[in-house]
Amino acid sequence: MFIGASLLAASANVVMQLSSLPVGRGVAESRVDSGRADKHPIKRLRTTVGYLAVAAYGTDSELLALRREVNRSHQQVHSRAGDPVAYNAFDPELQLWVAACLHKGGEDLYRILHPTPDPTALDRFYHYNIRLATTLQVPAEMWPADRAAFERYWQQGVERIKMDDVTRRYLQDLATVEFVTHRFGAAGKPIGALNAFFTIGFLPPAFRDELGLPWSPARQRAFDALAPRLVRANSKLPTLLREFPYNLFRWDTKRRLNNGRAFV
């Protein structure tokens, strides 16, 4: 769902992805500083949104170039001998989980816009999103065959989610955009509180519990009243405004890939 309001759920989706402990450790301990959201948030936003937009709508040549760029950035993302958690960014099982989280987040937003969705439309949406996986290191045959198979895969994955002290602290700081408070002091705290509100609100309960940030029935009611209205209001804007900043980052990413410039 490439509408600007989907960015309200962006941090929640990252939390979901990194709730797989090897994925979480791989990101929290990444030696690729240039791609870290806590150190370069604007660049990370550009690369993530650009990846999603081109993975969804890019040409075959753009997808190939994007895959090469992703592979290059992932070369340094692996555990070392003696590390407590083993991980490797080229592990297709881990990348399948990342792609599954991206699809699940998109479907959740689709259901906000279409409370009684057409099952045929959901099937089309699901099968199209295989591109989110194959643009990573996931062979096409690993993508669950249909939505029922995906749901079984998803439930099994949710049962295995786990954070440790390293990944939980990293994700709590991401949810509250701690880097903003660190840079701007007290002036950044309202931004952190707002991002945490939407991050926790968009999280399914199992992920919310694992993250460990405070939530309450009153906050849930406020989220349920506000978030759908914002998403639906955004969907009614003219296309240029509705799709911002995805359209901007899609243009920028395509320009970089087609000109042979580094994407990450």
Side-chain angles (χ1 to χ4, degrees):
M1 294 299 298
F2 294 110
I3 60 174
S6 65
L7 292 180
L8 296 173
S11 292
N13 201 266
V14 174
V15 171
M16 290 162 62
Q17 295 170 36
L18 273 58
S19 293
S20 166
L21 187 56
V23 178
R25 277 286 189 141
V27 173
E29 299 176 332
S30 175
R31 297 184 290 277
V32 186
D33 278 0
S34 63
R36 291 180 61 105
D38 54 342
K39 296 184 178 180
H40 302 281
I42 301 302
K43 181 179 181 181
R44 184 64 184 186
L45 176 66
R46 173 181 66 79
T47 56
T48 300
V49 173
Y51 166 81
L52 288 171
V54 175
Y57 300 120
T59 64
D60 288 344
S61 61
E62 289 167 345
L63 288 174
L64 181 60
L66 181 60
R67 189 178 296 114
R68 284 198 298 264
E69 283 288 293
V70 171
N71 289 349
R72 182 178 62 82
S73 69
H74 282 174
Q75 287 176 352
Q76 300 179 58
V77 183
H78 56 81
S79 56
R80 298 170 176 173
D83 283 352
V85 178
Y87 58 86
N88 189 315
F90 285 95
D91 184 337
E93 291 286 352
L94 301 183
Q95 295 294 358
L96 177 59
W97 173 253
V98 170
C101 290
L102 292 171
H103 165 72
K104 186 69 172 177
E107 183 180 295
D108 288 346
L109 286 167
Y110 184 87
R111 289 178 180 274
I112 289 177
L113 289 172
H114 307 280
T116 55
D118 176 8
T120 302
L122 288 175
D123 286 340
R124 286 197 303 267
F125 183 68
Y126 173 72
H127 288 296
Y128 190 81
N129 277 348
I130 190 175
R131 295 163 64 106
L132 299 175
T134 55
T135 308
L136 295 170
Q137 289 85 27
V138 181
E141 58 269 20
M142 287 184 66
W143 190 245
D146 53 31
R147 286 198 295 124
F150 178 85
E151 187 60 27
R152 291 192 295 272
Y153 166 82
W154 180 256
Q155 291 304 323
Q156 291 168 1
V158 171
E159 292 172 2
R160 292 193 298 267
I161 64 172
K162 180 181 179 181
M163 299 178 193
D164 61 10
D165 291 343
V166 173
T167 59
R168 184 175 291 105
R169 177 58 185 272
Y170 178 87
L171 290 172
Q172 288 180 347
D173 286 352
L174 178 71
T176 58
V177 285
E178 190 64 27
F179 54 85
V180 174
T181 303
H182 179 73
R183 178 171 295 185
F184 297 105
K189 287 188 178 296
I191 298 174
L194 185 63
N195 193 71
F197 172 78
F198 284 111
T199 298
I200 302 170
F202 275 110
L203 283 175
F207 297 88
R208 185 184 299 160
D209 293 344
E210 192 70 15
L211 183 62
L213 288 176
W215 196 243
S216 67
R219 291 182 184 181
Q220 185 65 52
R221 289 192 295 271
F223 175 83
D224 291 341
L226 180 60
R229 286 183 171 87
L230 292 176
V231 172
R232 291 169 188 152
N234 183 206
S235 71
K236 298 181 185 302
L237 294 174
T239 302
L240 185 64
L241 296 177
R242 181 175 68 245
E243 296 184 354
F244 183 83
Y246 284 96
N247 44 15
L248 173 63
F249 290 130
R250 180 171 64 234
W251 169 82
D252 177 72
T253 302
K254 284 174 172 282
R255 176 178 62 88
R256 289 171 182 270
L257 295 175
N258 292 328
N259 292 336
R261 293 182 58 193
F263 165 63
V264 180

